Amino acid sequence: QAKYLAQIILVGAQVVGRAFMRALRQEFAASQAAADARGRSERPQSAAASRITGISLQEAQQILNVSNLNPEEIQKNYDHLFKVNDKSVGGSFYLQSKVVRAKERLDEELRIQAKDEKKEWKAET
């Protein structure tokens, strides 16, 4: 009986393992498709920045509640959200880290735009 029980457990583990791997592959394919779709809607440098930082430009703007890339507004909202999410005042470290990542992503986008504008200015002269 112990032999049969061991076989049943082994077969069950194999079935669960295969199902887990299939679900993992599907999730990976779905995340790749989403990343590809997001990448097609952004400029190449911007899409690369989204992949590197792990956060899209749109998501970063939503987190910091900014509609355009105004450095002063970004900094003001960042300072406020960072302060209210400080763990010492009952905030969430997770949310605070999302605020930091969003600021980093928007700063990178501002840097990319400045670089593009510099290239355009050089091309005009």
Side-chain angles (χ1 to χ4, degrees):
Q1 276 184 328
K3 180 180 175 184
Y4 294 122
L5 183 59
Q7 286 178 335
I8 290 172
I9 291 172
L10 183 63
V11 169
Q14 288 174 338
V15 168
V16 170
R18 281 191 215 111
F20 177 75
M21 288 306 294
R22 189 173 27 244
L24 198 58
R25 279 190 217 105
Q26 288 174 347
E27 180 60 32
F28 181 73
S31 71
Q32 283 296 105
D36 290 345
R38 184 175 60 233
R40 282 192 299 272
S41 67
E42 296 177 341
R43 294 186 328 266
Q45 285 182 318
S46 187
S50 292
R51 280 191 303 277
I52 291 168
T53 59
I55 186 171
S56 71
L57 177 60
Q58 182 181 8
E59 184 181 2
Q61 287 178 302
Q62 288 174 342
I63 290 169
L64 289 181
N65 193 29
V66 293
S67 55
N68 56 18
L69 296 178
N70 177 338
E72 293 80 20
E73 184 182 5
I74 291 169
Q75 187 63 46
K76 180 180 149 230
N77 289 3
Y78 167 77
D79 291 339
H80 171 72
L81 290 169
F82 188 85
K83 189 171 130 186
V84 298
N85 285 299
D86 190 354
K87 198 168 183 170
S88 66
V89 294
S92 163
F93 179 73
Y94 173 75
L95 291 177
Q96 194 177 45
S97 66
K98 289 295 265 185
V99 168
V100 170
R101 296 295 160 253
K103 173 80 165 61
E104 289 174 347
R105 177 63 184 91
L106 293 177
D107 286 345
E108 181 63 19
E109 190 65 25
L110 288 169
R111 188 191 66 73
I112 290 168
Q113 283 185 356
K115 190 176 174 182
D116 288 348
E117 287 172 7
K118 190 175 179 181
K119 282 181 184 176
E120 288 174 12
W121 185 78
K122 281 185 178 181
E124 290 174 1
T125 57

